């Protein structure tokens, strides 16, 4: 399953000292607004020292030579800082803030409380090695992926970070507690750790931009880091994997609290599951109706009565999908296919005038090795301060060691029609477009702390925008693929709580994905891994999708003849990426709550 790379995954807190955090003063400049602005600056600045890797990704490059402090002392300092900021924030009368700052204050409170809870209660630092591999890989990738500064400057920073990375890897070995670490987390981390070699090679491949002592220092740092990566790999494979005894299921209590922070809402898993099951039945019924038309008059087509049995519905949809699966990209042609589709989708959005299209650069690239193993496609946007830098639409290649049968399974899932949906979701008018709008919002705090359900929900809603506007001339095979991708979103929501709360087995999960949601085996196998190593993120697609449609329906009701897709889309994207309820309250001038 595709997903966006959330900046929040790196947040211990973030910091940007000399930032234009003027949203509060821009709306009146009351004493309480000024107090909130100071608090926001303190959070941003203080957090930068806790997470220089996150700061680089955000676009503040003052600490590009430093690394996050992942030690117990660093964690204790972060907890103390966040608790202090939380107390200050709760002391500010919310009703006396501007409307924009009331939203930002609610978002910041959720972030601070969630980070304290994560550090003190969830304690992923003790059992999830992916926490550390994310920082290690991001440390170099964030310096080399974008040309925000001259190459020699970025290489000097990379050298300094390479010198410090062996200590970070060693610190992770001290923090992780084998008895609490799930085996699947270690296996995934081992895959990503091996990918660090490609990042080191990328840095050393540019060493010619330095000379003399600087080049010698870079090469020495790279050699030392290579040895450290190998030593860490040996520890992961030979020590941690055999002794990993943790349960990947986090359980109801932790799951419910984490979900509440992820959604910044009180929506419970019972209500989510009921909505998802109803949507699953509805989408399958729509697919059946389309499939009947596709198969009409085709020799050998299965019987397709108006009121099918469950078995008849399954066979008819499967038979129609086979026609879509037949149009596959080449095994090594995913990037080229995505590039072609990106141009096509962009031209369509502009021609239909569906939403204002930004002119920010976007590139289709292969996913770096250290980020592989969790999802097939990602959107990696620049930070709100890295103006003019590219968004990367990342695609993981088919592994070289996959058999032809495994590759065939993958390409059936990511057929030309399926890839169209991924490109719409990740790029146009999905994540790339929405996050480019979000980065223009004047509150950097809101840009940094974007709502996962708003962002992911928009990308799924964007798929509907295209289908409704007649993309690909309403080709019924495209519409089948479109609805099939919605089944994947729905299955995500069911799968996540099924795995972490309900004890769902691999066999049950695979049946949900491959039978009820029509996914191919390779896609479903990868999602089973992802569901184990993550929690409370997979439902954000479904919840956000539902919220965006509800918001649009309300706009249509209120605006009547004055409604147009572009007016609505530009308006809702103008608020950055807050939780949908806040976007609605701002859009319709309702009290912030």
């Amino acid at each position: 399953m595709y997903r966006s790379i959330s900046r929040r995954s790196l947040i211990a807190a973030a910091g940007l000292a000399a930032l234009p955090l003027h949203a509060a003063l821009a709306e009146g400049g009351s004493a309480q607004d000024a107090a909130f602005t100071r608090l926001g600056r303190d959070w941003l600045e203080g957090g930068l020292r806790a997470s220089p890797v996150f700061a680089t990704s955000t676009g503040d490059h003052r600490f590009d030579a430093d690394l996050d402090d992942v030690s117990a002392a660093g964690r204790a300092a972060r907890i103390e800082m966040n608790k202090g900021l939380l107390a200050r924030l709760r002391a500010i009368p919310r009703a006396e803030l501007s409307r924009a700052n009331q939203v930002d204050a609610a978002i910041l409170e959720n972030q601070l409380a969630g980070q304290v809870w994560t550090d003190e209660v969830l304690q992923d630092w003790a059992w999830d090695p992916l926490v550390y591999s994310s920082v290690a890989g991001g440390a170099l990738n964030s310096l080399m992926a974008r040309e925000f500064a001259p190459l020699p400057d970025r290489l000097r920073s990379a050298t300094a970070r390479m010198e410090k990375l062996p200590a970070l890897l060693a610190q992770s070995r001290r923090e992780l507690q084998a008895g609490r670490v799930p085996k699947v987390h270690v296996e995934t981390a081992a895959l990503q750790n091996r990918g660090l070699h490609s990042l080191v090679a990328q840095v050393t491949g540019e060493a010619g931009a330095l000379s003399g002592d600087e080049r010698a220092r870079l090469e020495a740092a790279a050699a030392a880091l290579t040895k450290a990566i190998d030593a860490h790999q040996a520890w992961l494979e030979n020590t941690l994997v055999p002794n990993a005894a943790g349960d990947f299921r986090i359980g109801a209590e932790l799951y419910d609290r984490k979900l509440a922070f992820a959604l910044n809402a009180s929506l419970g898993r019972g209500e989510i599951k009921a909505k998802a099951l109803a949507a699953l039945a509805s989408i399958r019924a729509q697919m059946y109706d389309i499939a009947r038309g596709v198969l009409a008059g085709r020799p050998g087509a299965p019987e397709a009565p108006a009121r099918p049995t469950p078995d008849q519905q399954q066979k008819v949809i499967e038979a129609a999908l086979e026609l879509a699966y037949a149009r596959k990209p080449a095994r090594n042609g995913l990037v080229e296919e995505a590039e072609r589709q990106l141009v096509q989708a962009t031209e369509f959005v502009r021609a239909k005038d569906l939403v204002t299209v930004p002119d920010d650069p976007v590139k289709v690239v292969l996913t770096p090795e250290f980020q592989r193993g969790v999802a097939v496609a990602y959107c990696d946007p620049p930070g709100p301060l890295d103006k003019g830098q590219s968004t990367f639409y990342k695609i993981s290649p088919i592994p070289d060691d996959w058999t032809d049968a495994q590759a065939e399974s993958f390409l059936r899932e990511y057929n030309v029609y399926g890839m169209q949906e991924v490109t719409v979701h990740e790029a146009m008018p999905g994540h790339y477009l929405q996050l480019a709008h979000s980065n223009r919002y004047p509150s950097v705090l809101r840009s940094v702390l974007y709502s996962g359900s708003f962002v992911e929900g928009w990308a799924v809603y964007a798929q509907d925008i295209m289908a409704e506007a007649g993309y690909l001339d309403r080709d019924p095979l495209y519409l089948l693929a479109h609805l099939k991708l919605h089944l994947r979103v729905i299955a995500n929501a069911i799968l996540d709580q099924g795995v972490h709360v309900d004890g769902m087995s691999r066999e049950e999960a695979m049946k949900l994905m491959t039978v009820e949601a029509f996914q191919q085996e390779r896609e479903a196998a990868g999602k089973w891994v992802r569901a184990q190593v993550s929690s409370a993120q997979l439902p954000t697609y479904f919840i956000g999708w539902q919220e965006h449609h509800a918001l649009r329906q309300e706009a249509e009701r209120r605006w009547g003849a004055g409604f147009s897709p572009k007016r609505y889309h530009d308006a809702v994207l103008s608020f950055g990426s807050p939780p949908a309820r806040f976007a609605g309250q701002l859009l319709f001038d309702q009290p912030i709550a």
Side-chain angles (χ1 to χ4, degrees):
M1 178 64 188
Y2 43 84
R3 73 174 178 94
S4 67
I5 298 178
S6 171
R7 297 182 194 117
R8 299 176 68 149
S9 67
L10 288 175
I11 290 176
L16 306 157
L19 299 187
L21 295 175
H22 57 274
L25 298 179
E27 292 205 3
S30 72
Q32 300 302 341
D33 283 323
F36 177 70
T37 298
R38 287 192 297 272
L39 188 152
R41 287 199 182 102
D42 290 346
W43 174 73
L44 289 165
E45 173 62 18
L48 216 158
R49 301 180 185 278
S51 186
V53 175
F54 173 74
T56 300
S57 71
T58 305
D60 187 307
H61 298 291
R62 293 175 297 152
F63 297 96
D64 283 356
D66 297 326
L67 281 182
D68 299 26
D69 182 354
V70 299
S71 68
R75 185 167 57 254
R78 181 173 69 240
I79 292 171
E80 181 180 6
M81 179 188 72
N82 286 338
K83 285 183 173 179
L85 290 168
L86 193 57
R88 283 174 57 191
L89 177 60
R90 288 172 173 168
I92 297 175
R94 196 69 54 88
E96 296 181 25
L97 294 174
S98 69
R99 287 169 57 78
N101 279 333
Q102 288 178 43
V103 171
D104 283 359
I107 294 170
L108 181 56
E109 181 176 16
N110 185 72
Q111 167 61 27
L112 290 168
Q115 188 60 59
V116 170
W117 176 84
T118 297
D119 284 335
E120 292 190 332
V121 180
L122 185 64
Q123 297 184 348
D124 55 355
W125 50 268
W127 54 264
D128 188 0
L130 295 170
V131 169
Y132 303 99
S133 61
S134 177
V135 174
L140 298 181
N141 187 64
S142 61
L143 293 173
M144 302 305 295
R146 293 185 173 89
E147 297 178 359
F148 58 81
L151 179 59
D153 291 345
R154 291 184 285 125
L155 288 173
R156 293 182 190 101
S157 297
T159 298
R161 282 187 171 174
M162 287 194 298
E163 290 173 338
K164 297 168 184 173
L165 275 169
L168 185 145
L169 295 175
Q171 183 64 50
S172 74
R173 296 195 289 272
R174 290 189 289 271
E175 296 297 324
L176 290 167
Q177 300 167 15
R180 299 176 63 184
V181 176
K183 185 176 180 181
V184 65
H185 287 63
V186 191
E187 293 170 341
T188 306
L191 172 67
Q192 295 187 345
N193 184 72
R194 283 194 295 271
L196 293 178
H197 283 302
S198 65
L199 288 174
V200 176
Q202 183 181 1
V203 175
T204 56
E206 301 286 358
L210 299 177
S211 60
D213 291 344
E214 288 185 328
R215 178 168 181 171
R217 180 185 168 194
L218 181 152
E219 291 172 344
L225 178 55
T226 296
K227 292 181 180 179
I229 293 169
D230 289 339
H232 193 61
Q233 189 73 26
W235 179 78
L236 289 171
E237 294 177 352
N238 301 326
T239 300
L240 195 53
V241 167
N243 294 291
D247 188 352
F248 61 82
R249 306 180 197 273
I250 66 173
E253 184 177 354
L254 292 177
Y255 181 86
D256 288 345
R257 194 69 180 123
K258 187 175 182 182
L259 182 66
F261 284 123
L263 299 178
N264 198 352
S266 58
L267 188 64
R269 55 186 157 87
E271 185 177 356
I272 292 171
K273 186 174 182 179
K275 287 177 177 289
L277 289 173
L280 183 73
S282 174
I283 295 295
R284 284 178 59 99
Q286 293 176 55
M287 292 179 72
Y288 179 76
D289 288 341
I290 295 172
R292 287 182 72 204
V294 168
L295 297 176
R298 286 184 175 267
E303 183 181 1
R307 294 185 177 181
T309 65
D311 184 60
Q312 287 172 326
Q313 183 191 66
Q314 187 75 22
K315 289 180 179 178
V316 168
I317 296 173
E318 286 177 348
L321 284 172
E322 285 295 331
L323 301 176
Y325 298 157
R327 290 196 60 192
K328 300 185 292 290
R331 176 168 179 152
N332 297 319
L334 292 175
V335 168
E336 291 77 8
E337 181 63 27
E339 288 174 335
R340 182 189 67 80
Q341 293 174 353
L342 178 55
V343 172
Q344 182 180 23
T346 303
E347 291 175 349
F348 181 85
V349 171
R350 285 199 170 110
K352 294 291 185 177
D353 202 24
L354 298 174
V355 60
T356 296
V357 177
D359 56 6
D360 305 48
V362 56
K363 298 178 181 177
V364 184
V365 300
L366 288 176
T367 305
E369 288 185 46
F370 82 93
Q371 290 176 331
R372 297 176 191 172
V374 177
V376 170
Y378 297 79
C379 177
D380 184 2
L385 297 186
D386 266 336
K387 304 301 183 184
Q389 295 298 311
S390 294
T391 289
F392 296 125
Y393 165 15
K394 297 179 174 179
I395 298 176
S396 294
I398 296 175
D400 292 337
D401 61 355
W402 276 17
T403 66
D404 289 342
Q406 289 174 318
E408 171 71 9
S409 171
F410 180 90
L411 291 171
R412 281 166 59 83
E413 184 73 20
Y414 291 94
N415 57 78
V416 170
Y417 296 107
M419 281 295 299
Q420 289 278 4
E421 285 292 276
V422 175
T423 299
V424 167
H425 182 104
E426 298 297 338
M428 178 59 65
H431 287 319
Y432 153 71
L433 181 142
Q434 188 269 316
L435 291 170
H437 278 269
S438 182
N439 279 350
R440 287 168 168 76
Y441 188 76
S443 166
V444 177
L445 186 149
R446 193 182 298 180
S447 295
V448 167
L449 294 181
Y450 62 64
S451 163
S453 57
F454 184 96
V455 171
E456 297 296 356
W458 170 270
V460 180
Y461 167 74
Q463 296 166 231
D464 287 338
I465 294 173
M466 299 292 273
E468 291 165 2
Y471 192 48
L472 300 187
D473 297 321
R474 293 187 171 87
D475 182 334
L477 294 181
Y478 159 68
L479 294 176
L480 271 178
H482 167 71
L483 292 173
K484 176 183 166 178
L485 267 289
H486 280 348
L487 285 183
R488 189 188 297 186
V489 166
I490 296 163
N492 280 349
I494 300 169
L495 178 68
D496 195 61
Q497 60 180 270
V499 167
H500 288 286
V501 179
D502 301 333
M504 180 181 280
S505 67
R506 186 182 191 279
E507 181 180 6
E508 292 169 329
M510 293 296 285
K511 180 178 182 294
L512 168 67
M513 291 184 282
T514 61
V515 178
E516 296 183 59
F518 301 101
Q519 295 174 32
Q520 295 297 304
E521 187 275 338
R522 282 294 84 193
E523 169 66 21
K527 181 63 64 58
W528 168 247
V529 172
R530 179 175 170 185
Q532 293 173 87
V533 302
S534 68
S535 53
Q537 193 271 334
L538 285 173
T540 60
Y541 302 87
F542 176 70
I543 297 306
W545 175 42
Q546 300 285 298
E547 290 174 335
H548 273 287
H549 273 290
L551 199 54
R552 174 174 172 158
Q553 289 167 7
E554 181 65 10
E556 290 174 337
R557 185 186 71 81
R558 288 173 177 263
W559 296 352
F563 177 90
S564 73
K566 185 173 185 179
R567 178 190 174 191
Y568 169 72
H569 295 148
D570 285 357
V572 80
L573 295 182
S574 72
F575 302 119
S577 305
R581 75 177 188 277
F582 294 135
Q585 289 158 6
L586 292 168
L587 186 64
F588 304 129
D589 198 26
Q590 298 170 330
I592 304 300

